[in-house]
Amino acid sequence: MKWYIIKRLLMLIPVLLGVSILSFSLIHLAPGDPAITIAGEHASIQTINAIREKYGLDKPITTQYWIWLKQVLKGDLGRSIVSNESVTKEIADRFPNTFELTMFSMFFAIIIGCIAGIISASRQYSILDYSFMGLALFGVSMPVFWLGIMLMMIFGVFLKWLPISGRISMMISFQQITGFYLLDSLLTGNFEAFISSLRHLILPSIALATIPMATIARITRSSMLEVLRQDFIRTERAKGLSERMVIYKHAVRNAMIPVVTVIGLNFGLLLSGAILTETVFSWPGIGRYIVNAVNMRDYPAVQGCILFFAFMFVIVNLITDIVYVYIDPRIHYG
Amino acid sequence: MKKKFISVLLLSMLFIFSLVMGSSASGTLVFGNSGDAARLDPADVTDGESISRMDNIFEGLVEYKEGSTEIQPCLATSWETSADGKEITFHLRKGVKFHDGTDFNADAVVFSFARQYDPNHPYHQYGEWSYWGYMFSDIEKVEKIDDYTVKIVLSNVNASIMTSLAMFTVNIVSPANAEKYKEDAFKYPCGTGPFKFVEWVKDDHITLEANENYWRGRPKLDKLIFKVIPDPSARLLALEVGEIHGMEYPNPADFERIKANPDLVLMSEPGMNIGYMAMNTGYGYKDVNKNGIKDPDEPLEKTPGYLEPLTKKEVRQAINMAIDKEAIVRDIYRGTASVAKNGMPPFMLGYNDEIEDYPYDPARAKELLAKAGYPDGFEVTLHVMPVSRPYMFDPPKIGEAIQSYLGAVGIKVKFYQVDWGTYLQETEAGLHQMCLLGWTGDNGDPDNFMNVLYGLNTCSIGTAGNYAFYTNEENQELLTKALRTYDVNQRAEYYKKAQELIHEDAGWVFLAHANQSAVFRSNVKGFVLHPTSRMFFYPTWLE
């Protein structure tokens, strides 16, 4: 197990190298010039050239990559061309927001998705099954953008239960320690800030949770159905175990491997930022950041984010693989 | 166990739902912006988002009057110009302090300027200073005379420099603050303005608070928060529920809904821009001396887009009469613009309101075409912008409208579209026969429209700003004279005369001045839209 983890972590090196070369070429191939973006529409050619020179944009692309790589190996992702701030700091400022949103959404998605899937499978072809699966289809096909606005209209405008934009009420000021609002407000004992940031989390989490929730429900259902048809289930029923024992104790655990895979994949995806949800709900997360960076052709910022996403994705996948071992003792890594 | 967990979860959710919205502190105004600021150093930005925050933190030697682009004293109480017009001496306001408690004085002024133009200045390395080269290159140096007097030395007489001094670029920053934070000073802005910087949560909000010691008296608002809400629909929803008190860039499709809501006020004013169609009149020059001026040794030559009919004044006037601008503004700009008759916005110094616009008269247009020798019309290519700009929201639709209007008088218009970068390159090189374009002003001075867009000097093939290649020498003389005198009335006269020439020779079809708009809750009082789209919240209060 230990060697397996080390091996997997070592594999990160070629993955990150590949990803960085690919993203570096793609962003440089795209038309547009960050120097023109910062200099503004009316700037003189001298100013633009001076900016290009300052950020090394006048050098050949291979040289630029080499300079960037050497800097990254020293642990420095560079400075954003647009904001002049260190990219590491920019990511650190926004990632906690995306992480909190992801955790909340996945929490909703897993709980509701799994329960719906299990119930559907154990009562196949019942009204409950049809309605859950119909809802799941609805959930997968619904545009997040539209759903977000609808949630805001219902819970924010008409019912006035929940705030509709931002991370926390503008009227509350509190001290940040880690950047995780919920954690920080608890650490500083600021109950008002805790409640406010929790309330701000609810709508975006629901909007973001719909697609993974629906996928999880469908996978859980089909995986459960497969397990329920197996011989050992028949044996258990024959032994006279209650249906609840059969389903929750034996079937669910056996059906979980594909579900965990889907959860892992979704988790990795959401961690790289939910651009639409973050835009609709004005969530200051990493997804919005990278879209802005791409639009402004902020090369160091784009590179830094992509490298970070690739790293997170690999780690989440590794964790998923480790979880398999705990779910299914038959799985061993040499 | 599981049941218990779920019921605890549900209960806690209920608890959260039952809590009401956070209490709103009175005197706090939250404004919804479409994007975050990039940097908070006034000399180092070109984007409107950064500028709108800093307009409330920093001030310059002079400032715009409320709602106009005329200037008035600010951190300088008075100034005088030397006889040759190349030295302007400013007397500074005494007793003003920066937000960090240090004194505002001549050293701070020299610091704020010199770091931009002097490559050997220790703080020059910390910025790009993009606007300096473009707007302020006529400033040779800024010198301290005594603690409260500074002298700006110009290399050329430049009347527009006074208006340029009201730009954010030359706002005065605290040298002590710059020294304290060095390359990070842009994150901790410190000026003399009505609001002090409190915090900046990236992509979320920037909070400012009242400057208790502001020299004009404390602002009425206690706090001013700029909150980023990128999506215009979400921004309007947030305004409707009262999470924010004002917002920028409302979606024109929402205007009716906003007007129908008694809690909201839609503000709309002409913006500092012009959208036009330029007709290549045929001749430009190559600026071999690279000085941006047409010298005698640089003869006029045919532009690559030369088209015989467009060289005739009658044809260009006919085209002006064949296009129904009112309809374009009403149906394509959807009423978010006003019809233009001159090449600069109506609120500017020297705007000639006596000029009578060409009427929409297809019959007269046909007559003029026949008189010019084209009774059956001709074929022409129109460069259509591939992107929407603040002065032109939907260029392809406007192009189609022009195509059909000109078709009606026998002129066959062919569309030409290419990516934006190439578009600018091709039009600057005069490859077009007709093109759609426009301009957003920088400093509010008429020179920034007239000389840049309509002068002979900017008919340089390859770097043109005058896309009609309108090479009238008399016109350029007027524009140059207007730039070389500080007498405001005299300047206005020159510009008025120049507009008459431009109108008569009809190189352009001036289409529209797009409006700028903002929405506020009805309890927000005192806010005035500024023609430059800058946002000054000092006079604003909440009722």
Side-chain angles (χ1 to χ4, degrees), chain B residues 476-532:
Chain B
Q476 180 63 59
E477 248 168 60
L478 289 166
L479 300 181
T480 307
K481 276 188 194 158
L483 190 63
R484 297 284 175 252
T485 170
Y486 291 96
D487 180 339
V488 173
N489 296 327
Q490 189 62 57
R491 291 190 74 199
E493 280 316 307
Y494 289 136
Y495 288 126
K496 281 183 180 166
K497 181 80 187 105
Q499 282 162 82
E500 279 170 26
L501 295 177
I502 293 168
H503 172 79
E504 171 64 22
D505 290 331
W508 291 264
V509 179
F510 297 116
L511 293 169
H513 306 291
N515 287 349
Q516 49 160 336
S517 21
V519 192
F520 282 91
R521 290 195 65 82
S522 47
N523 64 332
V524 178
K525 304 287 177 195
F527 183 84
V528 179
L529 281 177
H530 196 265
T532 56

Side-chain angles (χ1 to χ4, degrees), chain B residues 64 78 140 539 542:
Chain B
Y64 297 118
S78 63
E140 211 168 77
L542 288 169

Side-chain angles (χ1 to χ4, degrees), chain B residues 128-438:
Chain B
E128 328 297 347
W129 325 116
S130 314
Y131 254 120
W132 186 270
Y134 171 58
M135 299 293 300
F136 299 93
S137 49
D138 276 348
I139 295 183
E140 211 168 77
K141 59 184 172 189
V142 179
E143 291 172 341
K144 171 181 173 177
I145 306 289
D146 60 45
D147 273 353
Y148 289 96
T149 316
V150 289
K151 188 167 77 182
I152 292 184
V153 181
L154 303 172
S155 52
N156 281 307
V157 179
N158 182 337
S160 77
I161 208 79
M162 284 310 297
T163 340
S164 296
L165 286 175
M167 280 181 77
F168 46 89
T169 316
V170 284
N171 278 351
I172 309 303
V173 302
S174 153
N177 189 66
E179 197 178 329
K180 183 173 168 194
Y181 293 109
K182 304 250 169 11
E183 76 261 43
D184 284 333
F186 71 90
K187 288 188 253 177
Y188 307 96
C190 177
T192 56
F195 293 93
K196 291 200 278 192
F197 172 77
V198 178
E199 67 167 356
W200 181 5
V201 178
K202 285 281 180 80
D203 281 347
D204 193 55
H205 70 272
I206 287 176
T207 304
L208 312 181
E209 66 181 9
N211 174 7
E212 301 288 343
N213 304 315
Y214 186 49
W215 58 272
R216 275 192 174 110
R218 181 195 192 279
K220 291 161 196 149
L221 293 172
D222 302 325
K223 260 188 186 182
L224 175 59
I225 300 173
F226 293 93
K227 181 177 179 174
V228 182
I229 306 182
D231 181 55
S233 314
R235 206 152 60 233
L236 183 57
L237 284 178
L239 184 69
E240 284 171 341
V241 298
E243 271 182 31
I244 57 177
H245 303 93
M247 63 174 268
E248 61 178 1
Y249 305 131
N251 204 335
D254 290 328
F255 279 10
E256 289 310 312
R257 180 165 134 209
I258 296 167
K259 284 179 194 157
N261 187 337
D263 293 335
L264 303 182
V265 178
L266 174 67
M267 290 176 132
S268 205
E269 293 281 342
M272 191 164 65
N273 60 63
I274 174 74
Y276 58 70
M277 180 178 83
M279 295 170 266
N280 187 339
T281 61
Y283 297 89
Y285 74 98
K286 291 233 170 75
D287 188 16
V288 282
N289 302 337
K290 303 259 172 248
N291 56 359
I293 290 169
K294 188 196 167 294
D295 297 310
D297 61 338
E298 295 165 332
L300 287 181
E301 53 184 89
K302 274 187 186 174
T303 58
Y306 178 91
L307 182 73
E308 186 77 31
L310 292 181
T311 61
K312 298 195 159 65
K313 186 167 86 179
E314 289 86 1
V315 171
R316 300 192 302 260
Q317 288 178 337
I319 290 177
N320 262 289
M321 288 182 199
I323 295 171
D324 187 355
K325 298 197 263 187
E326 302 264 351
I328 289 178
V329 166
R330 186 183 61 231
D331 300 330
I332 302 176
Y333 281 90
R334 297 214 221 165
T336 61
S338 43
V339 176
K341 63 176 180 183
N342 285 320
M344 66 178 187
F347 51 78
M348 271 192 169
L349 172 77
Y351 178 82
N352 193 336
D353 209 13
E354 278 157 32
I355 285 176
E356 221 174 286
D357 201 4
Y358 292 105
Y360 171 53
D361 190 346
R364 276 283 314 282
K366 271 188 171 165
E367 272 169 40
L368 278 172
L369 280 175
K371 201 174 140 199
Y374 301 96
D376 304 319
F378 54 92
E379 207 176 274
V380 61
T381 306
L382 173 66
H383 267 58
V384 178
M385 290 154 61
V387 290
S388 116
R389 306 292 304 150
Y391 47 76
M392 207 177 278
F393 305 134
D394 201 344
K397 277 232 175 75
I398 292 176
E400 278 169 30
I402 289 175
Q403 192 177 34
S404 85
Y405 285 127
L406 294 189
V409 296
I411 301 172
K412 195 165 170 249
V413 177
K414 280 195 300 189
F415 256 50
Y416 177 82
Q417 265 190 314
V418 67
D419 74 274
W420 185 225
T422 317
Y423 188 93
L424 288 176
Q425 252 172 20
E426 289 189 0
T427 45
E428 281 170 21
L431 253 82
H432 61 286
Q433 295 173 348
M434 300 198 300
C435 69
L436 294 177
L437 261 170

Side-chain angles (χ1 to χ4, degrees), chain A residues 149-162:
Chain A
I149 296 276
M150 285 304 122
L151 287 173
M152 286 160 82
M153 298 272 270
I154 297 169
F155 295 101
V157 180
F158 296 123
L159 297 172
K160 299 201 192 311
W161 285 357
L162 290 168

Side-chain angles (χ1 to χ4, degrees), chain A residues 63-195:
Chain A
T63 318
Q64 286 188 44
Y65 180 74
W66 185 235
I67 293 172
W68 177 81
L69 191 67
K70 275 197 291 195
Q71 189 187 313
V72 171
L73 289 176
K74 285 184 211 146
D76 177 8
L77 291 178
R79 275 194 172 234
S80 150
I81 300 180
V82 174
S83 72
N84 202 13
E85 172 72 277
S86 110
V87 173
T88 319
K89 172 93 172 38
E90 297 270 50
I91 294 176
D93 277 348
R94 293 165 178 87
F95 182 67
N97 297 327
T98 296
F99 189 78
E100 279 183 317
L101 182 60
T102 304
M103 291 303 277
F104 251 71
S105 312
M106 286 313 285
F107 174 77
F108 281 127
I110 293 170
I111 300 266
I112 301 175
C114 283
I115 292 174
I118 292 167
I119 294 174
S120 288
S122 53
R123 300 185 190 168
Q124 204 186 356
Y125 305 131
S126 68
I127 293 192
L128 220 54
D129 179 21
Y130 283 125
S131 36
F132 277 147
M133 286 308 113
L135 273 177
L137 189 66
F138 189 61
V140 186
S141 28
M142 198 150 34
V144 175
F145 211 78
W146 178 83
L147 178 71
I149 296 276
M150 285 304 122
L151 287 173
M152 286 160 82
M153 298 272 270
I154 297 169
F155 295 101
V157 180
F158 296 123
L159 297 172
K160 299 201 192 311
W161 285 357
L162 290 168
I164 59 181
S165 67
R167 183 67 196 86
I168 193 169
S169 163
M170 291 291 104
M171 308 301 165
I172 295 171
S173 56
F174 84 107
Q175 212 205 327
Q176 290 204 33
I177 304 165
T178 61
F180 293 92
Y181 279 60
L182 290 177
L183 189 66
D184 288 353
S185 52
L186 283 181
L187 285 177
T188 53
N190 192 336
F191 189 64
E192 199 192 3
F194 180 78
I195 292 295

